Amino acid sequence: MQAAASPMAEEIFALHMLIYWICVAIAVLVFGFMFFSIFRYRKSKGAVAAQFHESTTVEIAWTIVPFLILVGMAVPATRTLIAMEDTSGSELSVVVTGYQWYWKYDYLGEDVSFFSRLTTSEEERLGQVERSPNYLLEVDNPVVIPTNTKVRFLLTSNDVIHAWWVPRFGVKKDAIPGFVNEVWADVSEPGVYRGLCAELCGRGHAFMPIEVHVVPQEEYVAWLDEQRQLAAAEAEAAEQEWSQEDLMTRGQQVYNTNCAMCHQANGQGVPGVFPALAGSDKVTGDVEQAVDIVMNGVPGTAMPAFGPQLNDVDLAAVVTYIRNAWDNNAGDAVQPADIQAAR
């Protein structure tokens, strides 16, 4: 069991231990009396069973005692549940959206948003290289929150039911399409905290970890500034014309992060499940069709729409990459301006 890192997690753990010891006490008393009676009043010692019916005293006792035990358990449990749902006084709100199979985070009022995806390599997943200590728990863009700040997380989903679970925060709540659930955390100790999706959301369920960095307030402000500068740089890059070589380099990174999980790093796909991109006419043929498939997905299949998820440069780069990687030789370069026109 992971150690609690927030007051809420500590309260949940204390409640768990209280209920545990109450159950232990009940078990000791019940089984103690039962075994004592079996031994003390056994037939070999001449014991004779008492003959009585409808004892009012006994019936009142076995009604009142369990009732008092349940009340004793319900009072602290209710108090903890109310505290878990109380998001009042939050100083920061983060919208968490589940996708198959990654997370998106939007910082309300801060003009910062990003996707967070698994970074474990395919070679590591296949056991071809040694697995890291944080196997399947590392992401490209971790969530960053300040210390000693009550943070409200608003949970929803873009496709199926996911669950945002960070054990050390005492936080676990479903992210449901069309609904918004709330949880909160207030962490005082800086560090890296990890979690996972806790719902069986599909084939890639194990590939959507949660990584939260808790940092001092000054570092958090600096991180916000850095994110805004990166967003401005991406907007500026989208106005430029890129060389095919640069698009291929960036496109390979985008492909390995977003596409290789299904279509494989070599573009061969999974026969009968995910089509091969290497040698595919849909990829190397009409460029507008190729852009449309990547941006809008393929209805009725597992191919998602990457238009809302990737910026113009990344979309242009990945389309250029799949049209020219492996043995595909379309020979062209899709520019960010082409993506803007297609949106």
mmCIF file of all heavy atoms in Angstrom, residues 83-105:
data_model
loop_
_atom_site.group_PDB
_atom_site.id
_atom_site.type_symbol
_atom_site.label_atom_id
_atom_site.label_comp_id
_atom_site.label_asym_id
_atom_site.label_seq_id
_atom_site.Cartn_x
_atom_site.Cartn_y
_atom_site.Cartn_z
ATOM 1 N N ALA A 83 -16.276 15.005 3.130
ATOM 2 C CA ALA A 83 -15.021 15.746 2.913
ATOM 3 C C ALA A 83 -14.435 15.459 1.534
ATOM 4 O O ALA A 83 -13.895 16.360 0.875
ATOM 5 C CB ALA A 83 -14.015 15.377 4.000
ATOM 6 N N MET A 84 -14.564 14.219 1.063
ATOM 7 C CA MET A 84 -14.031 13.861 -0.257
ATOM 8 C C MET A 84 -14.745 14.612 -1.375
ATOM 9 O O MET A 84 -14.146 14.933 -2.402
ATOM 10 C CB MET A 84 -14.168 12.350 -0.482
ATOM 11 C CG MET A 84 -13.258 11.499 0.389
ATOM 12 S SD MET A 84 -13.631 9.734 0.267
ATOM 13 C CE MET A 84 -13.190 9.416 -1.439
ATOM 14 N N GLU A 85 -16.036 14.892 -1.177
ATOM 15 C CA GLU A 85 -16.822 15.552 -2.223
ATOM 16 C C GLU A 85 -16.807 17.068 -2.101
ATOM 17 O O GLU A 85 -17.342 17.767 -2.973
ATOM 18 C CB GLU A 85 -18.273 15.053 -2.165
ATOM 19 C CG GLU A 85 -18.434 13.560 -2.384
ATOM 20 C CD GLU A 85 -18.018 13.120 -3.785
ATOM 21 O OE1 GLU A 85 -18.179 13.933 -4.709
ATOM 22 O OE2 GLU A 85 -17.510 11.993 -3.927
ATOM 23 N N ASP A 86 -16.220 17.604 -1.057
ATOM 24 C CA ASP A 86 -16.252 19.053 -0.811
ATOM 25 C C ASP A 86 -15.117 19.751 -1.563
ATOM 26 O O ASP A 86 -13.978 19.787 -1.107
ATOM 27 C CB ASP A 86 -16.142 19.319 0.690
ATOM 28 C CG ASP A 86 -16.210 20.802 0.988
ATOM 29 O OD1 ASP A 86 -16.609 21.586 0.087
ATOM 30 O OD2 ASP A 86 -15.869 21.203 2.127
ATOM 31 N N THR A 87 -15.445 20.333 -2.715
ATOM 32 C CA THR A 87 -14.434 21.039 -3.519
ATOM 33 C C THR A 87 -14.470 22.550 -3.297
ATOM 34 O O THR A 87 -13.811 23.286 -4.034
ATOM 35 C CB THR A 87 -14.649 20.747 -5.013
ATOM 36 O OG1 THR A 87 -15.970 21.175 -5.387
ATOM 37 C CG2 THR A 87 -14.491 19.273 -5.314
ATOM 38 N N SER A 88 -15.226 22.994 -2.309
ATOM 39 C CA SER A 88 -15.308 24.436 -2.049
ATOM 40 C C SER A 88 -13.940 24.965 -1.608
ATOM 41 O O SER A 88 -13.153 24.260 -0.976
ATOM 42 C CB SER A 88 -16.348 24.712 -0.967
ATOM 43 O OG SER A 88 -15.986 24.070 0.244
ATOM 44 N N GLY A 89 -13.684 26.214 -1.968
ATOM 45 C CA GLY A 89 -12.416 26.820 -1.578
ATOM 46 C C GLY A 89 -11.242 26.405 -2.434
ATOM 47 O O GLY A 89 -10.087 26.685 -2.072
ATOM 48 N N SER A 90 -11.512 25.786 -3.575
ATOM 49 C CA SER A 90 -10.402 25.371 -4.454
ATOM 50 C C SER A 90 -9.702 26.595 -5.034
ATOM 51 O O SER A 90 -10.337 27.572 -5.429
ATOM 52 C CB SER A 90 -10.938 24.492 -5.596
ATOM 53 O OG SER A 90 -11.563 23.349 -5.076
ATOM 54 N N GLU A 91 -8.370 26.522 -5.105
ATOM 55 C CA GLU A 91 -7.588 27.653 -5.626
ATOM 56 C C GLU A 91 -7.171 27.451 -7.070
ATOM 57 O O GLU A 91 -6.688 28.379 -7.716
ATOM 58 C CB GLU A 91 -6.343 27.840 -4.748
ATOM 59 C CG GLU A 91 -6.690 28.094 -3.282
ATOM 60 C CD GLU A 91 -5.498 27.886 -2.383
ATOM 61 O OE1 GLU A 91 -4.640 28.778 -2.331
ATOM 62 O OE2 GLU A 91 -5.426 26.814 -1.741
ATOM 63 N N LEU A 92 -7.307 26.251 -7.574
ATOM 64 C CA LEU A 92 -6.914 25.939 -8.948
ATOM 65 C C LEU A 92 -7.827 24.833 -9.470
ATOM 66 O O LEU A 92 -8.120 23.889 -8.745
ATOM 67 C CB LEU A 92 -5.449 25.479 -8.992
ATOM 68 C CG LEU A 92 -4.929 24.906 -10.315
ATOM 69 C CD1 LEU A 92 -4.918 25.978 -11.400
ATOM 70 C CD2 LEU A 92 -3.518 24.327 -10.131
ATOM 71 N N SER A 93 -8.282 24.986 -10.733
ATOM 72 C CA SER A 93 -9.153 23.974 -11.339
ATOM 73 C C SER A 93 -8.504 23.434 -12.604
ATOM 74 O O SER A 93 -8.046 24.208 -13.455
ATOM 75 C CB SER A 93 -10.530 24.570 -11.678
ATOM 76 O OG SER A 93 -11.210 24.954 -10.497
ATOM 77 N N VAL A 94 -8.472 22.107 -12.715
ATOM 78 C CA VAL A 94 -7.887 21.446 -13.889
ATOM 79 C C VAL A 94 -8.921 20.496 -14.469
ATOM 80 O O VAL A 94 -9.438 19.627 -13.760
ATOM 81 C CB VAL A 94 -6.615 20.654 -13.508
ATOM 82 C CG1 VAL A 94 -6.014 19.988 -14.744
ATOM 83 C CG2 VAL A 94 -5.592 21.566 -12.845
ATOM 84 N N VAL A 95 -9.246 20.678 -15.741
ATOM 85 C CA VAL A 95 -10.166 19.774 -16.431
ATOM 86 C C VAL A 95 -9.362 18.582 -16.956
ATOM 87 O O VAL A 95 -8.391 18.762 -17.683
ATOM 88 C CB VAL A 95 -10.884 20.474 -17.598
ATOM 89 C CG1 VAL A 95 -11.800 19.487 -18.326
ATOM 90 C CG2 VAL A 95 -11.676 21.669 -17.095
ATOM 91 N N VAL A 96 -9.788 17.390 -16.571
ATOM 92 C CA VAL A 96 -9.114 16.156 -16.992
ATOM 93 C C VAL A 96 -10.050 15.393 -17.915
ATOM 94 O O VAL A 96 -11.147 15.013 -17.510
ATOM 95 C CB VAL A 96 -8.742 15.283 -15.776
ATOM 96 C CG1 VAL A 96 -7.983 14.034 -16.223
ATOM 97 C CG2 VAL A 96 -7.941 16.082 -14.769
ATOM 98 N N THR A 97 -9.625 15.179 -19.171
ATOM 99 C CA THR A 97 -10.458 14.485 -20.157
ATOM 100 C C THR A 97 -9.776 13.190 -20.572
ATOM 101 O O THR A 97 -8.611 13.202 -20.990
ATOM 102 C CB THR A 97 -10.684 15.364 -21.403
ATOM 103 O OG1 THR A 97 -11.212 16.629 -21.001
ATOM 104 C CG2 THR A 97 -11.669 14.699 -22.350
ATOM 105 N N GLY A 98 -10.504 12.094 -20.441
ATOM 106 C CA GLY A 98 -9.949 10.804 -20.818
ATOM 107 C C GLY A 98 -10.184 10.510 -22.296
ATOM 108 O O GLY A 98 -11.261 10.775 -22.839
ATOM 109 N N TYR A 99 -9.175 10.009 -22.939
ATOM 110 C CA TYR A 99 -9.244 9.563 -24.332
ATOM 111 C C TYR A 99 -8.719 8.136 -24.380
ATOM 112 O O TYR A 99 -7.987 7.719 -23.485
ATOM 113 C CB TYR A 99 -8.346 10.428 -25.237
ATOM 114 C CG TYR A 99 -8.865 11.830 -25.521
ATOM 115 C CD1 TYR A 99 -8.744 12.841 -24.570
ATOM 116 C CD2 TYR A 99 -9.439 12.152 -26.745
ATOM 117 C CE1 TYR A 99 -9.205 14.128 -24.825
ATOM 118 C CE2 TYR A 99 -9.897 13.433 -27.016
ATOM 119 C CZ TYR A 99 -9.777 14.416 -26.056
ATOM 120 O OH TYR A 99 -10.225 15.692 -26.312
ATOM 121 N N GLN A 100 -9.080 7.387 -25.419
ATOM 122 C CA GLN A 100 -8.447 6.087 -25.646
ATOM 123 C C GLN A 100 -7.145 6.312 -26.423
ATOM 124 O O GLN A 100 -7.185 6.601 -27.626
ATOM 125 C CB GLN A 100 -9.373 5.181 -26.453
ATOM 126 C CG GLN A 100 -10.557 4.647 -25.664
ATOM 127 C CD GLN A 100 -11.412 3.740 -26.523
ATOM 128 O OE1 GLN A 100 -11.703 4.023 -27.676
ATOM 129 N NE2 GLN A 100 -11.836 2.628 -25.963
ATOM 130 N N TRP A 101 -5.920 6.297 -25.794
ATOM 131 C CA TRP A 101 -5.675 5.958 -24.426
ATOM 132 C C TRP A 101 -4.634 6.920 -23.884
ATOM 133 O O TRP A 101 -3.449 6.610 -23.855
ATOM 134 C CB TRP A 101 -5.227 4.506 -24.288
ATOM 135 C CG TRP A 101 -6.329 3.535 -24.564
ATOM 136 C CD1 TRP A 101 -7.268 3.094 -23.667
ATOM 137 C CD2 TRP A 101 -6.634 2.864 -25.773
ATOM 138 N NE1 TRP A 101 -8.129 2.204 -24.254
ATOM 139 C CE2 TRP A 101 -7.761 2.044 -25.560
ATOM 140 C CE3 TRP A 101 -6.073 2.880 -27.055
ATOM 141 C CZ2 TRP A 101 -8.339 1.251 -26.539
ATOM 142 C CZ3 TRP A 101 -6.648 2.099 -28.043
ATOM 143 C CH2 TRP A 101 -7.763 1.299 -27.775
ATOM 144 N N TYR A 102 -5.093 8.081 -23.495
ATOM 145 C CA TYR A 102 -4.242 9.106 -22.904
ATOM 146 C C TYR A 102 -5.155 10.128 -22.241
ATOM 147 O O TYR A 102 -6.382 9.989 -22.264
ATOM 148 C CB TYR A 102 -3.354 9.763 -23.974
ATOM 149 C CG TYR A 102 -4.030 10.017 -25.289
ATOM 150 C CD1 TYR A 102 -4.799 11.154 -25.488
ATOM 151 C CD2 TYR A 102 -3.914 9.102 -26.329
ATOM 152 C CE1 TYR A 102 -5.437 11.371 -26.694
ATOM 153 C CE2 TYR A 102 -4.548 9.318 -27.540
ATOM 154 C CZ TYR A 102 -5.321 10.455 -27.716
ATOM 155 O OH TYR A 102 -5.967 10.654 -28.910
ATOM 156 N N TRP A 103 -4.535 11.152 -21.651
ATOM 157 C CA TRP A 103 -5.301 12.158 -20.918
ATOM 158 C C TRP A 103 -5.029 13.541 -21.498
ATOM 159 O O TRP A 103 -3.942 13.816 -21.998
ATOM 160 C CB TRP A 103 -4.910 12.164 -19.432
ATOM 161 C CG TRP A 103 -5.143 10.875 -18.721
ATOM 162 C CD1 TRP A 103 -4.241 9.879 -18.490
ATOM 163 C CD2 TRP A 103 -6.377 10.424 -18.143
ATOM 164 N NE1 TRP A 103 -4.828 8.846 -17.807
ATOM 165 C CE2 TRP A 103 -6.134 9.145 -17.585
ATOM 166 C CE3 TRP A 103 -7.660 10.965 -18.040
ATOM 167 C CZ2 TRP A 103 -7.115 8.419 -16.924
ATOM 168 C CZ3 TRP A 103 -8.637 10.239 -17.386
ATOM 169 C CH2 TRP A 103 -8.375 8.979 -16.834
ATOM 170 N N LYS A 104 -6.028 14.414 -21.381
ATOM 171 C CA LYS A 104 -5.838 15.824 -21.713
ATOM 172 C C LYS A 104 -6.105 16.648 -20.458
ATOM 173 O O LYS A 104 -7.038 16.370 -19.708
ATOM 174 C CB LYS A 104 -6.782 16.270 -22.831
ATOM 175 C CG LYS A 104 -6.537 17.708 -23.259
ATOM 176 C CD LYS A 104 -7.570 18.202 -24.266
ATOM 177 C CE LYS A 104 -7.270 19.641 -24.668
ATOM 178 N NZ LYS A 104 -8.334 20.219 -25.513
ATOM 179 N N TYR A 105 -5.267 17.677 -20.263
ATOM 180 C CA TYR A 105 -5.410 18.534 -19.086
ATOM 181 C C TYR A 105 -5.568 19.985 -19.540
ATOM 182 O O TYR A 105 -4.776 20.489 -20.341
ATOM 183 C CB TYR A 105 -4.184 18.402 -18.183
ATOM 184 C CG TYR A 105 -3.985 16.996 -17.656
ATOM 185 C CD1 TYR A 105 -3.133 16.105 -18.294
ATOM 186 C CD2 TYR A 105 -4.673 16.550 -16.533
ATOM 187 C CE1 TYR A 105 -2.966 14.812 -17.836
ATOM 188 C CE2 TYR A 105 -4.522 15.256 -16.062
ATOM 189 C CZ TYR A 105 -3.654 14.389 -16.714
ATOM 190 O OH TYR A 105 -3.506 13.104 -16.253
#
